Amino acid sequence: MSGLAKLVIGSIAVFVLFCTLVLLFWARPSPILGFDAETLAHSLEKGQQCRKGPGGDWTCSIDGDGPPTWYRVDVGWDGCWEGNRFAGPVATFTPEEISGCIDLADHMRFEEAFN
């Protein structure tokens, strides 16, 4: 195999590795960036507020058709979270259980930057 072919194959391998790392960072940046209450609330989409309680537990509210529904939210090391309702009504937009993951868009919050 010629030197040029090795260079091309090596360049392609580096490019594929780079793209894979970029996609992983976009999907799960929290292990590197961490997160705060605003980032978690943004990830919940309709989250109005999140607060960190004792022991690292999070409580977050989601506004539905009536009063807010409150959830205890457990966030994993990878930024993925699960929440269980402990107060407020169950409705279409406020189910008994919620789950999701914090991604780079939640950290960046572009729509807030342009308002």
Side-chain angles (χ1 to χ4, degrees), residues 48-115:
Q48 300 302 306
Q49 62 179 319
C50 289
R51 325 180 254 240
K52 192 169 191 176
D57 294 335
W58 290 89
T59 56
C60 299
S61 69
I62 296 180
D63 283 345
D65 296 332
T69 300
W70 287 88
Y71 293 89
R72 283 189 181 83
V73 179
D74 180 38
V75 183
W77 67 270
D78 58 353
C80 291
W81 49 266
E82 294 180 352
N84 293 303
R85 183 187 68 83
F86 70 89
V90 173
T92 305
F93 295 111
T94 55
E96 189 70 36
E97 297 177 345
I98 56 175
S99 63
C101 295
I102 298 169
D103 62 21
L104 194 58
D106 297 318
H107 284 276
M108 303 299 287
R109 297 188 286 277
F110 291 119
E111 67 278 358
E112 292 176 15
F114 295 113
N115 285 336

